[in-house]
Amino acid sequence: MNRLEREAAARRIMERVQPVPPPDLYEAVVRRGSRLLRRRRAVRRLLWLLLVAVVVAFTVWALTVQPWVEPPSETTPPLVDW
């Protein structure tokens, strides 16, 4: 296809009559879009709530177990120079 044929094909495509969308399409799109936005907002809130719960649970665990403290020794050191 050379340049003139491509231009002619593009003109034919652009001169066609555009199809008319159904009259209730706008309302359906708005309804579906608002539903998707509500779902996304709910999922985002749920994930934030889950993240906060995990942080609180980790904090409570760390404060009760105190993994940074060295555990007490189970044996007594040997007595020297007594």
Side-chain angles (χ1 to χ4, degrees), residues 8 10 14 17 23 25 36 47 50 59 70 72 78:
M14 291 191 314
V17 176
L25 181 64
L36 286 173
L47 288 175
L50 180 65
T59 305
E70 186 177 332

Side-chain angles (χ1 to χ4, degrees), residues 45-66:
R45 286 180 181 169
L46 182 65
L47 288 175
W48 275 110
L49 181 66
L50 180 65
L51 178 67
V52 168
V54 166
V55 167
V56 167
F58 176 77
T59 305
V60 168
W61 171 81
L63 289 175
T64 55
V65 174
Q66 295 181 351

